[in-house]
């Protein structure tokens, strides 16, 4: 069976390691040198909330841009169909003109 004091020291060492890693991930500001575990965890929580807010805003912006892209794509398709129709009318008009020009010669 494992010695409880060894397990306790191991857990504390693991916790210290995790807190050091957390310090590297969380912007600590001016108090980077002096912090308590509580202040580090509080700053980490606030940083996570800030990142989540940024992610929500980014996702919202992506959705808006996708809607705008679909709208512009529909407009482009309409313009393409309109152009085909205009080209068709223009082509039939020019062929009518050349038919009538040949009839007059």
């Amino acid at each position: 069976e494992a010695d409880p004091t060894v397990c306790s020291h191991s857990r504390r060492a693991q916790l210290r390691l995790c807190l050091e890693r957390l310090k590297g991930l969380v912007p600590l500001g001016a108090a980077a040198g002096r912090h308590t575990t509580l202040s580090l965890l509080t700053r980490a929580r606030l940083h996570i909330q800030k990142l989540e807010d940024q992610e929500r805003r980014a996702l919202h912006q992506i959705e808006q841009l996708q809607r705008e892209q679909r709208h512009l794509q529909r407009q482009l398709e309409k313009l393409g169909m309109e152009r085909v129709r205009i080209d068709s009318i223009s082509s039939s008009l020019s062929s009518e003109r050349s038919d009538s020009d040949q009839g007059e010669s």
Side-chain angles (χ1 to χ4, degrees), residues 89-102:
I89 292 170
S90 159
S91 171
S92 66
L93 283 176
S94 67
S95 92
E96 283 177 19
R97 280 191 196 124
S98 54
D99 286 350
S100 66
D101 289 347
Q102 287 177 3

Side-chain angles (χ1 to χ4, degrees), residues 8 18-19 22 31-32 39 52 54 58 60 73 77 80 82 92 94 97 104:
S8 175
C18 290
L19 289 172
L22 190 58
S39 69
E52 287 172 342
Q54 287 175 344
H60 180 68
Q73 190 65 41
E77 288 168 4
E82 193 67 27
S92 66
S94 67
R97 280 191 196 124
E104 292 175 8

Side-chain angles (χ1 to χ4, degrees), residues 1-4 7:
E1 211 172 285
D3 184 356
C7 288

Side-chain angles (χ1 to χ4, degrees), residues 7-24:
C7 288
S8 175
H9 288 298
S10 175
R11 277 195 300 274
R12 283 192 195 111
Q14 180 68 24
L15 182 57
R16 273 194 303 277
L17 180 63
C18 290
L19 289 172
E20 284 303 313
R21 284 185 190 156
L22 190 58
K23 265 194 262 182

Side-chain angles (χ1 to χ4, degrees), residues 28-42:
L28 296 175
R34 300 179 38 191
H35 67 276
T36 63
T37 300
L38 177 60
S39 69
L40 176 60
L41 293 173
T42 301

Side-chain angles (χ1 to χ4, degrees), residues 38-89:
L38 177 60
S39 69
L40 176 60
L41 293 173
T42 301
R43 285 181 177 275
R45 182 179 54 83
L46 292 173
H47 184 61
I48 290 168
Q49 287 174 337
K50 179 181 166 187
L51 292 174
E52 287 172 342
D53 287 344
Q54 287 175 344
E55 182 183 26
R56 258 191 306 279
R57 282 194 300 273
L59 289 173
H60 180 68
Q61 187 175 18
I62 287 170
E63 289 170 5
Q64 280 183 315
L65 290 170
Q66 286 172 337
R67 279 194 298 272
E68 185 179 350
Q69 183 183 29
R70 286 191 299 271
H71 172 71
L72 291 171
Q73 190 65 41
R74 284 191 303 270
Q75 283 186 319
L76 187 61
E77 288 168 4
K78 279 184 192 176
L79 288 172
M81 287 188 289
E82 193 67 27
R83 182 177 179 157
V84 166
R85 208 168 66 206
I86 289 170
D87 287 350
S88 170
I89 292 170

